[in-house]
Amino acid sequence: MGLIDRAAFLTRVEKMVEERLNELELELVDIEYRKENKEQFLRVFIDKDSGVDLEMCSQANRAIKESLDEQEIPYDYLEVSSPGLERVLKKERDWERFSGYRVRIKTRKSFPGPQRIIGILLGFDSENIAVEVDGELYKVPRDMITIIRLHPEI
């Protein structure tokens, strides 16, 4: 599968999964589709404001599996789970929801500042993510960020 074909395929799978999860009043947080040890894994991470339990994951798994099989989407293993304590923040709604929370940001090697930033997510605009680190404000350009995760103090 070529790069463009793969992107279109993943967009199609994500849309289908999101539609099924919306029917269950669940949020699609992230989706992974990757080969591991010659097996094709499809991992779906779900959430809900009130939290996710095992029964919700089971319901989501059944609903998603049904759609995948109808659309003949190839996979060997389907895993549905909550995103966990260190969830990835990918979308603007994630940044809004978790404003005021502690996050860990990894930046590109070409970023002139630190490669890892741990601080409080203060906000964002179309160009930057604002994080407070030890009383100092960092504005990190969105295009310099490789990943943002929650970083709870455990």
Side-chain angles (χ1 to χ4, degrees), residues 45 51 54 70 78 93 106 122 126 135:
F45 300 95
L54 185 58
E70 285 172 5
L78 171 63
R93 72 174 184 237
K106 288 186 183 179
L122 296 181
S126 62

Side-chain angles (χ1 to χ4, degrees), residues 102-105 116-120 131-134 151:
R102 191 168 177 210
V103 295
R104 179 177 67 231
I105 297 175
R116 293 175 192 233
I117 301 167
I118 297 174
I120 304 300
V131 181
E132 180 185 321
V133 179
D134 299 326
H151 189 75

Side-chain angles (χ1 to χ4, degrees), residues 13-153:
V13 170
E14 186 171 325
K15 183 178 179 186
M16 182 198 54
V17 167
E18 195 161 33
E19 286 174 4
R20 292 310 300 257
L21 292 176
N22 286 341
E23 292 170 9
L24 298 172
E25 298 179 358
L26 295 169
E27 171 193 354
L28 174 62
V29 173
D30 199 9
I31 194 165
E32 290 180 358
Y33 188 73
R34 63 172 7 125
K35 277 209 184 255
E36 294 178 13
N37 298 322
K38 299 182 182 178
E39 303 285 342
Q40 187 65 55
F41 281 79
L42 177 59
R43 291 189 178 97
V44 178
F45 300 95
I46 62 173
D47 203 4
K48 191 172 189 168
D49 286 340
S50 60
V52 174
D53 62 18
L54 185 58
E55 180 58 31
M56 286 179 201
C57 289
S58 295
Q59 285 178 335
N61 188 301
R62 287 189 296 274
I64 293 167
K65 182 179 181 348
E66 183 179 297
S67 289
L68 293 171
D69 292 347
E70 285 172 5
Q71 297 293 316
E72 299 181 1
I73 305 294
Y75 66 95
D76 296 308
Y77 297 99
L78 171 63
E79 297 175 0
V80 178
S81 67
S82 81
L85 293 176
E86 294 184 5
R87 76 178 276 165
V88 173
L89 306 181
K90 287 184 132 182
K91 303 169 186 162
E92 289 189 6
R93 72 174 184 237
D94 295 335
W95 302 333
E96 287 173 5
R97 179 177 174 191
F98 293 103
S99 183
Y101 284 71
R102 191 168 177 210
V103 295
R104 179 177 67 231
I105 297 175
K106 288 186 183 179
T107 60
R108 299 190 185 286
K109 289 182 180 177
S110 58
F111 180 62
Q115 300 297 293
R116 293 175 192 233
I117 301 167
I118 297 174
I120 304 300
L121 177 63
L122 296 181
F124 63 95
D125 59 29
S126 62
E127 296 177 12
N128 298 295
I129 302 291
V131 181
E132 180 185 321
V133 179
D134 299 326
E136 188 176 336
L137 178 65
Y138 282 78
K139 285 194 173 185
V140 184
R142 288 166 75 160
D143 63 349
M144 287 286 129
I145 296 172
T146 59
I147 193 164
I148 303 174
R149 291 184 176 276
L150 286 179
H151 189 75
E153 295 184 57

